[in-house]
Amino acid sequence: AQSVSQHNHHVILSEAASLELGCNYSYGGTVNLFWYVQYPGQHLQLLLKYFSGDPLVKGIKGFEAEFIKSKFSFNLRKPSVQWSDTAEYFCAVNARNYGQNFVFGPGTRLSVLP
Amino acid sequence: DSGVTQTPKHLITATGQRVTLRCSPRSGDLSVYWYQQSLDQGLQFLIQYYNGEERAKGNILERFSAQQFPDLHSELNLSSLELGDSALYFCASSVGTSGTQETQYFGPGTRLLVL
């Protein structure tokens, strides 16, 4: 079965610091990859997604993620975080041709200090 | 706004009771997914419907059931409620079934509190 791990449970950064959140998945086949963000008290919103092509994907709000197939990773990055980026970030994987649904990682809580 | 709507936003009930949560998918989406989000369990996939038929089951208890109606809205029924069922229940929708280039869009959730 697929599984998704996220390296950090809670990350605390100061404004303008660079961010990298790790995501690894376990599935040997072709996958679709996603990052969702959940702001306090709100629902999950799609940040970015990778289906195929350029492994460096750009999303909303200055976020990007890089798919490294050999490492089964899909890390999320942002060069300079803002206080408004404080939220919980979820990595999700959907295996193509597997008939299984999205598997979400446990989430990483990001706190950005002003 | 994702286009997925859920009602009610909040629900407070007592142990042993039964509640129904409702979800309307985005226009054109045929798949509906239900998730439970709690502090200790994280985001757990419960069940998926595609065009009225159950397509996949996750960690859904036997006390819970769901259905998708001809107009594609879905209801999640939770019965014999226990304190531990208190959680945020999200609905998501997508165009078709997983395994293709699908993206799920989430609704605002229903916060259930069982007292």
Side-chain angles (χ1 to χ4, degrees):
Chain A
Q2 299 171 76
S3 67
V4 179
S5 61
Q6 292 184 234
H7 304 172
N8 307 98
H9 179 64
H10 189 190
V11 172
I12 303 173
L13 295 172
S14 298
E15 275 194 316
S18 65
L19 169 72
E20 180 158 3
L21 300 182
C23 170
N24 285 88
Y25 63 94
S26 66
Y27 179 66
T30 306
V31 293
N32 300 322
L33 299 156
F34 306 82
W35 276 98
Y36 284 86
V37 60
Q38 187 178 26
Y39 297 104
Q42 296 190 26
H43 61 286
L44 277 80
Q45 300 172 42
L46 182 67
L47 263 184
L48 48 78
K49 59 189 177 185
Y50 172 80
F51 290 152
S52 63
D54 187 346
L56 185 61
V57 180
K58 294 196 184 300
I60 61 171
K61 305 187 182 188
F63 286 90
E64 64 178 31
E66 185 175 13
F67 170 49
I68 303 180
K69 190 174 180 180
S70 61
K71 295 185 177 180
F72 299 91
S73 70
F74 190 55
N75 292 354
L76 181 71
R77 299 195 292 248
K78 186 171 184 179
S80 175
V81 294
Q82 301 172 316
W83 177 78
S84 58
D85 293 324
T86 295
E88 186 129 20
Y89 292 80
F90 293 90
C91 180
V93 174
N94 160 230
R96 296 189 215 170
N97 306 318
Y98 192 77
Q100 197 178 56
N101 279 287
F102 285 58
V103 177
F104 282 80
T108 295
R109 182 151 53 108
L110 172 65
S111 298
V112 180
L113 307 176
Chain B
D1 184 4
S2 66
V4 179
T5 60
Q6 288 186 250
T7 56
K9 285 188 178 177
H10 303 276
L11 201 46
I12 302 175
T13 188
T15 55
Q17 295 299 304
R18 172 191 168 95
V19 297
T20 297
L21 313 183
R22 182 188 168 106
C23 168
S24 292
R26 294 186 322 154
S27 176
D29 284 358
L30 298 179
S31 269
V32 170
Y33 310 77
W34 286 98
Y35 292 86
Q36 180 193 58
Q37 186 180 37
S38 60
L39 284 174
D40 55 342
Q41 299 274 359
L43 195 62
Q44 299 279 318
F45 166 68
L46 295 178
I47 197 165
Q48 179 208 356
Y49 277 81
Y50 173 72
N51 204 22
E53 292 188 3
E54 182 184 303
R55 186 54 62 101
K57 257 186 176 178
N59 300 324
I60 187 165
L61 300 172
E62 284 193 14
R63 300 183 285 110
F64 296 0
S65 65
Q67 57 186 133
Q68 186 179 26
F69 294 86
D71 67 352
L72 301 177
H73 91 270
S74 177
E75 293 181 355
L76 178 68
N77 300 296
L78 316 176
S79 60
S80 304
L81 285 167
E82 302 174 0
L83 296 177
D85 298 327
S86 296
L88 204 49
Y89 291 85
F90 285 110
C91 165
S93 74
S94 71
V95 173
T97 60
S98 289
T100 59
Q101 292 189 352
E102 291 288 302
T103 300
Q104 290 189 7
Y105 294 90
F106 282 78
T110 293
R111 187 173 293 280
L112 174 66
L113 180 60
V114 182
L115 301 175

